Amino acid sequence: MRLSFYEVGEIVGAQNDFRVYPDSSLTGMEFDSRQIKAGNLFMPLKGARDGHTFIGLAFENGAVATLSEKSLDCPHLLVSDVLLAMQQLASYYIDKLQVDVIAVTGSNGKTTTKDMIHDVLATTYQTYKTQGNYNNEIGLPYTVLHMPDNTQKLVLEMGQDHLGDIELLSKIARPRISVVTLIGEAHLAFFGSRDKIAQGKLQITSGMPNGGLLLVPDDPLVEPYLPSQQKVVRFGPEAELRLTDLCEGKQSLRFESTAVEGTIELPVTGKYNATNAMLAAYVGKVCGVSDEKIKRAFSQLQLTRNRTEWKKAKNGAEILSDVYNANPTAMRLILETFSAIPKNSGGRKLVVLADMKELGDASCQLHAGIADSLGENLDKIYLYGPEMRPLAEALIGDKRLSYFASVESFEALIESLQNDLKPQDQLLLKGSNSMNLAAIVEALEG
């Protein structure tokens, strides 16, 4: 980190006379006192517990200074709001390092697209990206303040739970390129409609400079919110940016697109990942990455854990795990992919679907609507969670159905799968992260 104690004091507008303390070069910052290392600046945020409680521990662990919302007897910078100061500092740090910011949001695919953009740009530039799901008002500035000093390209994921979340993040990061992957139903409970979700996602342009680049799906919902001061490129089957000659395999994808010359191959499944890769390829081209390097990056792709990936049960059965999160669009897409994969000789196709959270008043209708995506080539369907009841009711009479209504049924579901799953079978698991399907995958892996 290329910041000094005095420099931070100036940037955050510290209200105390911080120059009574010695200046020092900071080695980093943390808001978790347990993660503090020698020379760090402590950020005592207020959450379930007030970080100010742990200032003493932070100094014991090596902090040289802290931000604080109250006066202290140790080296500190007095501010009215520690989180706001952290955000201001992140925005300043982007300017100081003169880093080029690429922002990614969307109801589906934002983490995968972020990973792909990072891998493409890293072939040519010193590149850093959002780690894990640090994509909110705390995680984004934390990411910025942890990027290496030599970073040239910074790929930031932006999430939203409420209208205005992405506007804040965009104004902190001021991206030159922004990507909106999809307008889906994620967090519908907080927004009420896909139109409001679109409005929130398009607020990613709030901090963009004039002449920036915005990639958006060819969806009528985005039209009212498109900016006039940025270049807009639409993607979709009939749009300027589109896929051609898509070939989907069990563990791979091959396609061509208008983004780059020639064929792109990916070591992952799911045709939605072809769209994500096309967006990453286009960003790479805009940033001057050669077609050859783009294709090489995709051939060596490593995605964030718990996104769509094949695993093996301890008895040899194949597991398609997509357990990080779920909404109706994502669930339909993965069912389409799984249904298109040929069965193993003598094997069956089994599906475990769990509750999709935060769908609000539309939850019953959206869960029930998944019935249309459960084609005849699926041999057994396990539904888990109370919000899956409407789908279970829509499938009444379907002999493939096993329904586990409550949280107390979790162990019963695992036991049933362990007894039912045969070595030649293929099993898909999909549901919201809070349904803990990852634990089922681990149990089946042994």
Side-chain angles (χ1 to χ4, degrees):
M1 174 180 274
R2 294 195 311 208
L3 290 170
S4 70
F5 175 60
Y6 285 3
E7 184 179 10
V8 173
E10 294 291 345
I11 297 307
V12 303
Q15 300 162 13
N16 61 320
D17 184 8
F18 55 86
R19 293 180 185 274
V20 300
Y21 305 109
D23 196 12
S24 58
S25 295
L26 302 172
T27 59
M29 60 74 60
E30 293 292 343
F31 58 77
D32 184 339
S33 59
R34 297 167 296 184
Q35 302 299 319
I36 287 286
K37 296 180 176 62
N40 279 185
L41 174 68
F42 183 49
M43 300 276 189
L45 300 176
K46 291 181 177 178
R49 302 181 70 178
D50 187 347
H52 288 75
T53 306
F54 303 97
I55 288 176
L57 181 59
F59 276 94
E60 289 177 16
N61 289 341
V64 293
T66 182
L67 268 65
S68 177
E69 294 174 10
K70 54 188 177 184
S71 296
L72 302 170
D73 293 328
C74 56
H76 71 288
L77 300 169
L78 183 63
V79 295
S80 57
D81 187 324
V82 171
L83 177 57
L84 177 59
M86 180 177 165
Q87 293 166 349
Q88 291 170 334
L89 190 58
S91 195
Y92 167 80
Y93 202 52
I94 288 172
D95 285 343
K96 175 165 181 161
L97 296 192
Q98 296 184 316
V99 69
D100 200 11
V101 176
I102 298 92
V104 184
T105 192
S107 300
N108 288 95
K110 57 181 176 290
T111 299
T112 299
T113 303
K114 170 208 68 180
D115 290 342
M116 290 178 171
I117 292 173
H118 169 273
D119 288 1
V120 166
L121 295 179
T123 64
T124 307
Y125 303 98
Q126 294 295 324
T127 308
Y128 191 66
K129 66 178 179 179
T130 299
Q131 305 297 302
N133 63 344
Y134 271 42
N135 62 9
N136 64 6
E137 73 279 5
I138 297 173
L140 183 140
Y142 182 90
T143 299
V144 170
L145 294 170
H146 279 76
M147 65 178 164
D149 293 347
N150 63 349
T151 301
Q152 297 170 296
K153 305 288 184 183
L154 178 61
V155 189
L156 294 175
E157 180 179 327
M158 296 184 177
Q160 70 171 7
D161 289 332
H162 302 88
L163 191 64
D165 288 350
I166 290 178
E167 180 179 15
L168 170 65
L169 300 179
S170 179
K171 288 180 177 179
I172 294 171
R174 302 184 306 283
R176 183 175 69 86
I177 300 173
S178 292
V179 179
V180 179
T181 61
L182 182 74
I183 307 299
E185 305 91 348
H187 307 304
L188 194 58
F190 302 133
F191 287 86
S193 68
R194 286 184 66 236
D195 178 76
K196 284 293 183 183
I197 292 172
Q199 182 183 355
K201 295 297 185 187
L202 268 294
Q203 288 182 340
I204 200 168
T205 64
S206 299
M208 290 179 67
N210 291 343
L213 171 65
L214 173 67
L215 302 182
V216 293
D218 191 20
D219 186 330
L221 285 175
V222 307
E223 295 298 326
Y225 308 111
L226 293 177
S228 58
Q229 65 272 28
Q230 280 104 32
K231 178 183 178 182
V232 176
V233 174
R234 295 169 178 80
F235 60 89
E238 307 298 327
E240 171 186 351
L241 191 55
R242 61 188 181 276
L243 296 169
T244 59
D245 299 323
L246 174 63
C247 181
E248 186 175 7
K250 183 174 170 182
Q251 299 191 57
S252 64
L253 291 167
R254 188 173 67 253
F255 67 91
E256 295 185 9
S257 78
T258 56
V260 296
E261 295 290 333
T263 301
I264 288 177
E265 296 186 13
L266 298 175
V268 295
T269 191
K271 66 181 183 181
Y272 44 87
N273 278 323
T275 298
N276 298 335
M278 176 181 67
L279 296 173
Y282 189 88
V283 171
K285 287 283 284 188
V286 169
C287 293
V289 182
S290 69
D291 289 2
E292 179 184 352
K293 287 184 177 179
I294 289 171
K295 293 173 186 177
R296 189 189 315 144
F298 287 138
S299 70
Q300 302 168 355
L301 186 65
Q302 295 289 325
L303 298 182
T304 297
R305 187 173 178 267
N306 283 338
R307 272 61 183 180
T308 312
E309 57 183 332
W310 283 98
K311 294 174 173 285
K312 280 277 188 183
K314 61 183 177 182
N315 70 352
E318 296 173 330
I319 301 171
L320 184 55
S321 172
D322 193 356
V323 299
Y324 179 74
N325 228 326
N327 59 54
T329 301
M331 192 166 279
R332 289 181 181 279
L333 288 171
I334 194 63
L335 283 167
E336 182 180 341
T337 290
F338 186 66
S339 297
I341 295 169
K343 292 182 182 180
N344 294 326
S345 177
R348 303 169 297 161
K349 283 181 178 288
L350 288 68
V351 171
V352 176
L353 303 180
D355 289 354
M356 300 177 285
K357 299 297 187 181
E358 299 176 355
L359 296 180
D361 294 339
S363 179
C364 290
Q365 177 185 352
L366 292 172
H367 278 85
I370 299 297
D372 297 336
S373 298
L374 297 170
E376 295 180 358
N377 63 337
L378 301 177
D379 297 287
K380 192 151 190 179
I381 302 164
Y382 291 88
L383 302 181
Y384 169 56
E387 294 188 48
M388 276 290 165
R389 186 180 301 278
L391 179 53
E393 292 173 351
L395 296 173
I396 286 176
D398 192 322
K399 295 181 180 179
R400 303 173 297 172
L401 179 65
S402 293
Y403 176 46
F404 296 81
S406 65
V407 173
E408 289 75 21
S409 302
F410 189 71
E411 293 301 326
L413 173 58
I414 294 177
E415 183 179 355
S416 181
L417 286 167
Q418 288 173 327
N419 291 334
D420 192 19
L421 194 64
K422 304 296 189 293
Q424 298 81 20
D425 290 343
Q426 296 168 331
L427 171 66
L428 166 67
L429 296 101
K430 179 69 175 175
S432 286
N433 192 39
S434 60
M435 299 304 291
N436 200 25
L437 294 187
I440 295 179
V441 174
E442 291 174 2
L444 295 176
E445 287 180 307

